[in-house]
Amino acid sequence: MAELARVRVGTAYDVVIGRGILEAAADLVPATATRALLVHSGALPEVVARVREALDARGVRVVEGLVPDAEAAKTLAVAGDLWSLLGRESFTRTDAVVGVGGGTVTDLAGFVAASWLRGVPFVNVPTTVLAMVDAAVGGKTGINTAEGKNLVGAFYEPLGVVCDVDVLATLPERDFVAGMAEVIKAGFIADPRILELVEEDPASARGVGRHTVELIGRAVAMKARVVSQDLREAGLREILNYGHTLGHAIEQHAGYTMRHGDAVAIGMVFAAELAHRSGLIDSALLARHRDILSLVGLPTTYAGAPLDALLVAMGRDKKTRGSTLRFVVLEDLAQPTRLVGPAPELLQSAYDSLGTTA
């Protein structure tokens, strides 16, 4: 078991990355717990069985919280079903919630834990690249509404996060690659070595390869550094939303049928175009966005909706202040900044560029 990052935000919790370590999740559940709600979608029965057996061995009675797969899990109705289950099972503040699955499951499990009795302990066991480097780390929990993604939620820290890299071998390549968008994002905003590793060995960004553990570890460590300084997104943490303002709008317009990483990849190209057209970055850094994303098979073009339709969703983005849009952009590699209230013609020009390959 190898600890690669410790997040310190008032209390400390570990993000543990290793191989064959699923059972470590049971060790993070408080010794006082007599029950654990095991939230999962049923997609990985062998993984869930190992966590369940480890909890059983600890003398913790497992209550099954089976939820829908993907974004269908992150609804008020599903959260309500889990609250009802917790009530029927008489869960107290000394019991725990364990989320096993992708980012939607860990987001939901964390939100249910944060809101039941105003907070019960929970542990994250992410099973996708995206969940390991993004959703399961940093204390953000939430559900979606018809008006937008993650508009209802809470900042609530887990007791710990267990990332078993062996589980990633079960992922379809498209899902693995989509998760790597968040890793590449970390490279652009803070850790250029990530970009170099992807350029040296693109295969490690398409499946478990010689640099995959390091890529995930670097992305987790970057997020840990940011979150430890700004848990509640008062300023610095906004940089983690690079590519997300347009990305979330695209996801909403598509009814959450597009992979999050694919939408974020498009959003990063859009942010780079905004920065380039504002005179902040040169053409080489702009081109590097398209080159690296294309190298691993992520999309860099989009023409699925008129900009006006996406601006409505962008207006609900958490970074928006009043009616003023704010975008995380770069002023150089690993030097993120904010572009506040860009002119409509700049937005349109940058968006139009997404319909082309250069």
Side-chain angles (χ1 to χ4, degrees), residues 41-326:
S41 70
L44 295 170
E46 293 181 3
V47 171
V48 173
R50 285 176 57 188
V51 176
R52 184 189 299 113
E53 290 166 6
L55 289 166
D56 286 340
R58 276 275 318 275
V60 178
R61 184 168 68 84
V62 173
V63 176
E64 295 288 337
L66 187 64
V67 300
D69 202 11
E71 294 292 339
K74 290 178 59 174
T75 68
L76 180 59
V78 175
D81 288 342
L82 294 178
W83 289 324
S84 294
L85 179 58
L86 290 170
R88 293 194 302 272
E89 295 288 343
S90 301
F91 265 61
T92 72
R93 284 179 174 168
T94 58
D95 295 318
V97 174
V98 179
V100 180
T104 56
V105 171
T106 57
D107 277 0
L108 170 69
F111 179 62
V112 168
S115 50
W116 183 251
L117 300 178
R118 297 188 178 92
V120 296
F122 85 106
V123 174
N124 272 329
V125 185
T127 59
T128 67
V129 177
L130 182 59
M132 288 182 183
V133 303
D134 184 41
V137 179
K140 280 188 178 181
T141 72
I143 57 175
N144 303 330
T145 68
E147 290 71 33
K149 188 172 181 179
N150 298 324
L151 294 180
V152 177
F155 291 102
Y156 192 63
E157 302 165 62
L159 294 177
V161 180
V162 176
C163 300
D164 190 332
V165 175
D166 286 344
V167 174
L168 300 180
T170 67
L171 284 180
E173 183 175 323
R174 282 300 306 133
D175 291 335
F176 192 104
V177 168
M180 275 292 158
E182 292 284 357
V183 177
I184 292 169
K185 176 202 74 177
F188 278 117
I189 64 174
D191 185 356
R193 179 58 183 157
I194 288 174
L195 306 181
E196 295 170 358
L197 289 170
V198 172
E199 290 165 333
E200 291 170 11
D201 181 30
S204 291
R206 298 196 194 104
V208 178
R210 60 193 176 100
H211 293 317
T212 306
V213 171
E214 183 177 358
L215 287 169
I216 291 172
R218 283 182 171 274
V220 169
M222 182 281 299
K223 186 166 185 179
R225 289 194 299 271
V226 171
V227 170
S228 66
Q229 298 176 62
D230 181 18
L231 173 63
R232 297 184 178 273
E233 205 168 53
L236 176 64
R237 187 166 176 165
E238 280 191 353
I239 70 172
L240 299 177
N241 289 312
Y242 188 57
H244 284 58
T245 302
L246 180 67
H248 280 164
I250 290 173
E251 284 183 275
Q252 183 184 345
H253 186 270
Y256 302 112
T257 58
M258 177 181 284
R259 290 176 177 84
H260 174 71
D262 289 350
V264 168
I266 296 165
M268 283 192 282
V269 176
F270 178 70
E273 288 283 0
L274 281 177
H276 178 60
R277 291 160 193 267
S278 300
L280 294 173
I281 66 171
D282 60 23
S283 57
L285 184 51
L286 171 61
R288 197 176 187 191
H289 280 73
R290 283 192 168 90
D291 291 345
I292 290 178
L293 294 169
S294 298
L295 189 63
V296 302
L298 285 161
T300 59
T301 62
Y302 180 74
L307 178 60
D308 287 348
L310 300 176
L311 285 172
V312 175
M314 284 192 276
R316 300 190 189 105
D317 184 84
K318 295 183 290 296
K319 295 181 296 304
T320 298
R321 301 293 183 268
S323 59
T324 302
L325 293 176
R326 291 151 53 97

